Structures are given as structure tokens and as C-alpha cells.
Amino acid sequence: MTADRFHLGWFGAFVPHGWNQPFEGTEASHREWLDGTFHVDLARALDRACFDVLLLEDSSMVSDTYGGTSEATLARGVWAPKGDPLALAPLLTEATEHLGISVTASTSFYPPYVLARAFSTLDHLSGGRAGWNVVTSSEDRAAQNFGLDGLPQHDERYERAEEFIDLVDRLWSSWEPDALVMDRETGVYVDHEKVHPVHFEGRYHRSRGPLNTLPAPQGRPLVSQAGGSPKGRDLAARTADLVMALPKGVPAMKAYRDDIRARAEAFGRDPDDVKVMFIVSPVLGATEAEAAERFERRRQAVRDDPTGQLIGWSGSMEIDFSRFDLDEPLPADARTNGHQSTLETFRTWAGDRTLRQAVEAYRTEAVELVGTPDSVADQMGAIAEEVGGDGFMLWSQPPTRQYVTEVCDGLVPALQRRGLVRTGFSSTQLRDNLLEF
């Protein structure tokens, strides 16, 4: 028995590529991330390899949580520098034919009307390949860049987000599909009776509407979300078309997908309309020995510098991990108003291990995949068969052209030979492609 076909996505960011890696490129290439050249090359490779979507994360701050200073963050380029992915997106869609581009934008900082208009416009520019990756943001430092003292509490952020998405959906629907008439005899461009104010009055948001753009090609640009906490899972199951997930291990992956599908059904949705894709970062080699050696080098890098991961987490959780003893367990009283699911996942993973041991063993992926393209393809097929999953979201930090090539010219053909992923597209629109199987 073989797995059904599954989808492929890429999780990236508008950040520098691997500037200090063995195959980093020429010195001149380091300007290419800011002018979009590197990311255009990435998008073209993914398009050629029949990926469904490139999802671009984002944040709006320079973190100074770790050690009470931005020194470590900036030295490693963890949270900055970073470009605005919404500005990058049109370059990527212009350079590709089928690849969807999902851009992160925060419900805590964007006005709903501005967001609805921007993503509707991007959907037009791309011919129906735009997606909005919903986040509520998790950092007070980001909030302070928008004139706020800090973010609301975790659960309230999700309540605001639900209302925000409801309003955006109403704005996207404020024009009937056939409102554009272009009647040359009467001189009427748009039928005003088919454009409607929304008169939205919520607890957190208000808007008269209607939107002042034509209906988006997809009607509703694809909505993606990464929900880990109970509130986050509810938001994803209620509103998202694509859910990006990071449970640890195959049993947890299956349990997560089953839970999202059950929640979606409880909200009156068809569970098959909610695609769950798991984050992975395959380690590939021409031989099993080469892949194992690469994997061991990656583990050794963490052993040599266990603080690297903690610097990133300090920013997302706003917990100063520098104050904890690496040779003691994570203190039980460590709490966050930020990424709660990340903290709880790590706490469960760590158990009684010291912080150093736990960080060395931890992986920012749902399941470890190590081997040749053929053996990793077999592993992915077996996992999809057991989980019943909808696909995988590949991730590399920092990204390099070498790794992109290994995936697109090595792993993907191996998956295609097994009939596990698509070899072409039946539609030019992102949602249609995601719902095809």
C-alpha cells in the first residue's frame, strides 16, 4: 500500500541567505537577498519542482531579550535584518507561473481594511496565487514599534484575530462576483447595486466598507495559520485553508491533524478543506553515509554552541534564556505571553534533561529525515501513509542555493518517481491546486 499524493511547501523569510556557510556564494551575492535576486531564484526553483506554496514568515522588531541587549541577535542575524515580504511578493509571482506566495501579516498591527485591500491587490497581480499567513504576533518589542506598550494577553490576541479575519472576509465579499459590467452602451463600469458596505461593528474592530478593489481572483486569498495552543488550533480550524504544524514525532503529527480536522468539522467545515502541512528539514546526501555525516555535523554545531537556539527563542517567547543555567533543567516557573506552544513543546521534550542536553537534542522540525533522496522519499511516503497528512513544509535556516538544488533536483524527483507529489498543475490558482488532492 502506498500513500496518496501530498503537497509540498517551502517555509522561508525575506532574510540573508547562508552568508557564513561553506557554499555561501560570492561576496557580491550578499546583496542579492535585499534586491530580491536570491528569493526570485528560490521561487523559480520551487515553481519548476511543482511546489504548491512558498510561505514567507515575518516579524517587526530587533529583539534585545537575550542578555538584555540586541548584541547576540544582530551578531547572528536571528531577528534582523529582515525585509518586508509583502513588498517582495510581486517579484516572486512575476517570476513564476504556478507557485503560490503566502505572506505573513499580523492581526495585531495591520488595520483590517489595509490588509484586505493589499492581499486582494496581490491576488490580482499574481492571477490568483496570493495567500495571507495569519499571525497575532508574540513580542512586546514589536508592539512598541506601533505605539503600544505591549501586546494583549495570548487568548485575547486570538479573540481579536478571529474578529479581524471575520471583518477581512466581509470586506473581500463586499463586491459581488459579477459587479464589474463594463457596459459601453450605458457607460457603466461597475454596477453599484452589487457593491455593499459591510457596516462591521465588533468588539475590537469597526469598518464601514466596502473594499475599493475588484473581487480577488480567488474570491478569498488563501489563508494559512500555524496554531499550536488550544486557541491557536481553534483559529486555524475555523478560518484557515492551510495549517503549518510542528508536533514532534509521527504519533504527535497524526494526533495533531486528527484534532484540527475534528475542530474544523465542529465549526461546520469540510475537514478536507483544511490542509495540514508539517515542517521538516531533510538532510540529504549522495549516500547514506554522507547524509549521516552531514546530520552529525549539524548536531555537533549545536553541541559547540547550544546558545544559538536560545537566542532565537528568547526573542519569540520574550524569556531571557541567558539567565538560566545550561546544566540545570528549564525552571518550572518559566512563562511566556508569546509562543506558548513552542515553550510547552520544548518543556515536554526536555523532561528532566538539563537545558544544554535538551537544546542539543531538540530539532525545529516535526520529524528527522536523513538519507539519500530515494530513502528520504520513502520515509516521507511512509509518514504520510501513517499520519494521513496533507503534505510537508520544507525549511532551511539559513537557506542556501546548494540546499535548494538538493531538494528540487534530488528529493523532489525521487518523490515524483514514487507518485507521491505532483508533476504538474491543473490550475493557475493557489486554492484550486491545494484542494486538488
Side-chain angles (χ1 to χ4, degrees):
M1 185 176 181
T2 59
D4 293 331
R5 283 192 298 172
F6 51 76
H7 299 273
L8 292 177
W10 189 281
F11 179 52
F14 192 4
V15 296
H17 48 296
W19 64 274
N20 59 350
Q21 303 299 305
F23 297 93
E24 61 181 281
T26 64
E27 283 300 313
S29 74
H30 299 311
R31 294 190 294 271
E32 294 180 356
W33 80 271
L34 270 177
D35 68 15
T37 301
F38 175 84
H39 295 87
V40 165
D41 287 350
L42 167 64
R44 284 174 173 158
L46 299 178
D47 197 42
R48 175 172 52 83
C50 295
F51 276 67
D52 283 81
V53 64
L54 166 59
L55 191 152
L56 297 170
E57 66 87 27
D58 195 24
S59 59
S60 301
M61 60 148 192
V62 176
S63 175
D64 61 357
T65 302
Y66 188 85
T69 173
S70 62
E71 178 181 0
T73 297
L74 290 173
R76 296 167 182 265
V78 176
W79 288 96
K82 184 177 291 186
D84 187 337
L86 190 57
L88 175 67
L91 291 180
L92 306 184
T93 57
E94 178 67 20
T96 55
E97 295 183 7
H98 295 95
L99 179 70
I101 305 296
S102 182
V103 178
T104 297
S106 174
T107 58
S108 295
F109 305 136
Y110 264 90
Y113 191 95
V114 173
L115 186 143
R117 186 175 186 232
F119 279 85
S120 181
T121 301
L122 181 58
D123 206 44
H124 280 287
L125 292 173
S126 65
R129 291 187 284 133
W132 169 31
N133 183 50
V134 177
V135 297
T136 65
S137 295
S138 59
E139 310 90 16
D140 286 341
R141 279 293 184 257
Q144 290 156 12
N145 289 330
F146 293 88
L148 306 172
D149 292 330
L151 288 169
Q153 290 299 304
H154 177 275
D155 286 0
E156 182 184 339
R157 294 204 304 273
Y158 280 92
E159 291 169 5
R160 287 173 175 265
E162 287 185 7
E163 186 178 287
F164 188 110
I165 296 170
D166 188 11
L167 171 52
V168 168
D169 275 334
R170 295 193 196 190
L171 288 168
W172 280 335
S173 302
S174 60
W175 289 52
E176 295 181 30
D178 58 350
L180 176 65
V181 293
M182 292 182 62
D183 189 325
R184 289 173 174 80
E185 291 185 4
T186 63
V188 173
Y189 190 68
V190 172
D191 183 348
H192 76 283
E193 293 185 350
K194 297 184 178 181
V195 181
H196 311 287
V198 299
H199 296 302
F200 187 94
E201 296 276 351
R203 180 180 177 188
Y204 304 106
H205 305 287
R206 297 171 59 193
S207 182
R208 177 188 182 274
L211 209 58
N212 67 343
T213 57
L214 287 163
Q218 294 182 98
R220 180 192 199 237
L222 188 94
V223 173
S224 60
Q225 210 261 326
S229 67
K231 280 284 188 180
R233 294 189 188 202
D234 272 347
L235 181 66
R238 178 177 173 273
T239 65
D241 306 294
L242 168 62
V243 181
M244 185 172 59
L246 193 58
K248 299 296 184 183
V250 173
M253 292 163 67
K254 177 173 174 52
Y256 180 93
R257 180 174 182 264
D258 290 346
D259 181 55
I260 290 292
R261 289 173 62 84
R263 290 173 191 252
E265 192 167 18
F267 284 120
R269 300 183 65 192
D270 182 345
D272 289 339
D273 289 344
V274 185
K275 302 300 183 182
V276 178
M277 298 177 72
F278 299 102
I279 296 177
V280 294
S281 184
V283 179
L284 302 167
T287 65
E288 294 295 326
E290 181 183 356
E293 182 183 354
R294 287 183 171 187
F295 180 70
E296 180 55 31
R297 284 203 304 267
R298 191 167 78 172
R299 292 178 67 106
Q300 187 59 50
V302 177
R303 293 189 196 104
D304 293 341
D305 181 18
T307 63
Q309 180 69 71
L310 300 179
I311 292 170
W313 283 342
S314 291
S316 64
M317 299 184 206
E318 296 200 320
I319 297 172
D320 182 3
F321 278 90
S322 73
R323 62 189 174 89
F324 301 142
D325 188 335
L326 282 173
D327 296 310
E328 294 290 336
L330 178 69
D333 61 352
R335 294 288 183 269
T336 181
N337 188 37
H339 283 269
Q340 292 187 359
S341 60
T342 302
L343 176 61
E344 292 311 312
T345 297
F346 178 69
R347 193 189 300 279
T348 301
W349 175 273
D352 295 329
R353 287 181 282 196
T354 68
L355 190 55
R356 184 190 307 275
Q357 292 169 338
V359 170
E360 289 177 359
Y362 190 83
R363 294 291 172 268
T364 310
E365 53 196 322
V367 64
E368 291 175 350
L369 299 170
V370 183
T372 64
D374 281 315
S375 69
V376 170
D378 287 337
Q379 294 171 58
M380 293 173 73
I383 292 168
E385 179 70 29
E386 186 169 350
V387 171
D390 304 302
F392 296 91
M393 188 74 67
L394 277 71
W395 174 85
S396 173
Q397 185 61 33
T400 63
R401 284 187 171 90
Q402 181 193 19
Y403 187 70
V404 174
T405 298
E406 290 172 353
V407 168
C408 293
D409 295 335
L411 176 58
V412 171
L415 291 166
Q416 289 173 332
R417 288 193 295 270
R418 289 159 174 75
L420 293 172
V421 298
R422 65 167 74 250
T423 57
F425 293 88
S426 60
S427 174
T428 60
Q429 296 193 358
L430 174 55
R431 176 177 285 99
D432 289 345
N433 287 326
L434 200 64
L435 293 178
E436 183 182 357
F437 50 86

